[in-house]
Each structure stands twice: as structure tokens, then as C-alpha cells.
Amino acid sequence: MRVSTTLTLVVALAAGCARRDPAPEGGHPVTRTAGDANAPADAGAVTSKETDMHEVKSSTDLIALRDVYRERIAAGFSGTFEVHVAAGTYEPVTWELAPDPGAAPPAIDLVLRGEGASIPRPSRLVAASIRIEGLVVTGPVSRSIEVEATKRIDLVDAAFIDGRTTDPNSRAPYLALRARGAITLQVERTWFVRNFQQGKLPGVLVGLAASPHAGGRFDEVVIRDSAFVGNAFTTELELADALAVKIERTAFYKTWASGAFLGCASASKVTVTDSVLVAEDLAHVARVDAGCAPIELGAGTRVYARSYTPSTAVPASLQVDRAALADRAAIDATARVADGAAKRKPEAIPATLHAELMAALRP
């Protein structure tokens, strides 16, 4: 199936607006802008910022996007490259939206949007800014899903379910978020469910770090209203090359005594507020390296660890009021909501489930 492409205008001045001409036979509708030699006289004054729209309905469409994206890069396009992914059945394929490996990210704002569509994971996404919204990403990787930007990365109303690494000798993150220059990361209402690593080498589910090609940092990281449930990695969220990291209203839940939810390699300050962390013991909540201060578990955060008592030692990796700590047995009666969430299929997660999960884990 051919990828459908439509150029649409993003910004128009009050003096006028763009007009869509009928599509030529066998072609696509085109919104013409002022400055286009073929634009109608009444098109009005507009900016050159455009949105290049693409409709995806099959795995073939996903594969074809790579060449279209590179053509737009070669043409010097600096607008928004927006992909709408339709619901349907997608075969496991390898696809990407990126320039040649190691090349600088293009001056393109990349948007991947769907209505709960479940798609095979991309291998690379590289742009000035990247937004993944309303998509369910699934499938194995031999290396990483690489997401690299020069301005910002947004994961909104998304889910990563049943992802796994296939190389037992690789320590690359399943999802590698890379900063090229100073960027912002925002994760909202996003779920990470039942993802796991192969082998015994230390594995990472989501890893933040500077670009290996040019360096960089995360000036601001905000993760809110999200959930990490039933994952099996040595570290679920690895923070590196980051300044302020704020985790808000987020649930971390698993039922086995291995790995840590949070790992900090280099970050100025990490705070967790109004969140819930459920582990077999406190040692599996966080790991902090020499480049980090203890992770601050702040206002409204609760931690449940099996057989916790007031005499249980608090790891040096955590800064927390003991009033926030409790025996995991306190939530055994209500944890079935979390256990059910850990069994979700790779499909859209109901918007109400996060509130149910948070309520169940804070009786």
C-alpha cells in the first residue's frame, strides 16, 4: 500500500488562509501556500512552516516512511513530519525515521500519533523534537529503540508492552532516549508493562543519556501519571546526563526480588512525589552511583517492601521519611489491580486504569 502524503499549513496570518486544491488524478491533495508559484492569488500571506502529513495503515506503510523522511531531510524541510497510525494488524517489521547513522538530527519536528494502535517497535527515531502519542509499541529488539532529539522528547498516552531484548550479551537499553545538546523530556500517562531482558548482564528498560555522537544533557525531565508494571530488567529507569528530574503520580510495581526501579548514574536532583513504589525489599527501589545524590522520595510518596519493619535499614540511595514506608502485606488485598495491569495485552490501556491502580496501591 502506498503511503498517503498531504502537505498542510500550520500557521496562517489573519489576512488569509491556505486553500486545498483538488488532487490531480493519481495524486494527493496539496495545500498550497503563498510563495508557491502555483498558489491561487487569494492564498494570502503565510509562514513557511508546514506539516507533512502521512497516513499509515499497514507494516508496508511503516517501512516506506523511511525513504519519504530522508527525501524531506535532503530537501531541507524544517516543518512537522506527522504520522497518523490507524488501528489494525501490523506485522513485525523493522522501520525507522532517521538520517544516516551518526548524522546530525534534521530540523524537523517528528510526531507519531495513533488512537491506541499497536505497532512494531521502530529501530531509530531522530529529529529536532519527537512526540509519540496514543501508540502502543511492542516487540523484540537486538540493540535498542533509539530516540534522539535536539529540542525535546514527549511520550504521551503511550504504552510499551511486551518488549524484550534478544541479545543476552548486550547492555544497551530497550528504549534509549538520547539528548543531542540541551533538551527536555516529558512522559505523561505512559505505561511500561511486562518488558524483560534476556541474559544476566545488567539490562535497562528506559535509559536516558547524552548522544554518543555529539554529547548533550536533559535540562528537565518530568514523568507523571505513568506506570512501570511487571517489568524484568536490572534497572527500569536509568538516569544519566540529567539535571532536574521530577517523577510525579507514578506507580512502580513488581513481585520478584531482583533489579531496581530507579538507577541514577549522573543527575543533579531526582525527586519522586505522590507516587507508589512496590518491591520485595527496599534495596530494589533505587541504585545510586557516585554521580548522584540520594533519590528524594517526597510528599505523598509511599513505598511498600515485603516484611518491612521500623528497624529495617534504609538504603543510602534513598532520602525518605520512615512514615512513607510500610510492609507490602498492607496492600496484598488490593494488589490484584496491579497484577491485572501486569497481564495487559499490547493494546490501548483504559484511561481510568491509572487512577484505579494508584487507589489500590494506597489503601
Side-chain angles (χ1 to χ4, degrees), residues 12-343:
L13 300 180
C17 62
R19 186 181 76 186
R20 175 167 292 185
D21 292 346
E25 185 175 352
H28 307 297
V30 175
T31 299
R32 303 190 184 279
T33 64
D36 185 335
N38 297 314
D42 62 348
V46 297
T47 71
S48 61
K49 188 77 168 178
E50 292 179 342
T51 297
D52 197 358
M53 300 285 292
H54 302 266
E55 186 78 13
V56 165
K57 297 181 179 180
S58 71
S59 293
T60 301
D61 291 349
L62 283 174
I63 296 171
L65 276 177
R66 174 193 171 187
D67 289 341
V68 178
Y69 190 64
R70 290 193 175 185
E71 287 171 2
R72 301 303 278 150
I73 293 173
F77 180 68
S78 60
T80 299
F81 191 96
E82 184 165 336
V83 180
H84 287 187
V85 182
T89 300
Y90 290 83
E91 298 299 321
V93 295
T94 298
W95 64 282
E96 68 174 21
L97 295 174
D100 291 331
I108 292 175
D109 297 320
L110 176 60
V111 177
L112 299 175
R113 182 172 286 131
E115 299 297 331
S118 178
I119 61 172
R121 83 295 175 277
S123 56
R124 292 195 304 147
L125 301 173
V126 180
S129 71
I130 299 169
R131 182 180 181 89
I132 300 175
E133 180 179 346
L135 287 174
V136 179
V137 179
T138 188
V141 300
S142 59
R143 294 179 61 84
S144 292
I145 301 171
E146 297 181 16
V147 179
E148 182 173 320
T150 59
K151 295 192 300 186
R152 65 180 296 126
I153 298 172
D154 292 271
L155 306 178
V156 181
D157 294 316
F160 293 78
I161 304 177
D162 274 344
R164 61 184 175 88
T165 58
T166 60
D167 183 354
N169 298 312
S170 175
R171 299 178 63 174
Y174 177 78
L175 176 61
L177 305 179
R178 299 292 180 247
R180 190 157 179 150
I183 80 166
T184 296
L185 170 65
Q186 187 155 309
V187 180
E188 291 195 79
R189 300 181 300 278
T190 292
W191 290 70
F192 299 87
V193 179
R194 209 174 49 257
N195 302 286
F196 65 95
Q197 70 178 63
Q198 295 279 6
K200 297 181 179 180
L201 290 179
V204 173
L205 173 55
V206 182
L208 278 60
S211 167
H213 307 293
R217 68 176 186 270
F218 293 85
D219 276 356
E220 182 182 27
V221 176
V222 177
I223 300 172
R224 62 166 63 99
D225 299 317
S226 296
F228 292 74
V229 179
N231 301 296
F233 278 83
T234 302
T235 307
E236 296 191 20
L237 177 60
E238 178 79 14
L239 304 168
D241 303 312
L243 298 181
V245 179
K246 299 178 181 178
I247 301 174
E248 305 169 350
R249 301 186 298 277
T250 292
F252 295 83
Y253 179 90
K254 65 180 177 181
T255 57
W256 44 85
S258 64
F261 292 133
L262 305 172
C264 187
S266 54
S268 297
K269 185 175 183 180
V270 182
T271 59
V272 183
T273 58
D274 292 318
S275 297
V276 183
L277 302 96
V278 182
E280 285 301 292
D281 60 60
L282 294 181
H284 296 118
V285 172
R287 187 209 77 247
V288 170
D289 297 341
C292 290
I295 292 173
E296 181 182 339
L297 304 182
T301 292
R302 297 284 289 170
V303 180
Y304 297 93
R306 188 70 68 193
S307 302
Y308 172 81
T309 70
S311 62
T312 301
V314 176
S317 59
L318 300 177
Q319 179 183 334
V320 59
D321 189 323
R322 276 195 179 270
L325 309 178
D327 188 336
R328 183 169 177 153
I331 61 166
D332 280 348
T334 58
R336 59 182 175 273
V337 173
D339 293 330
K343 298 176 183 177

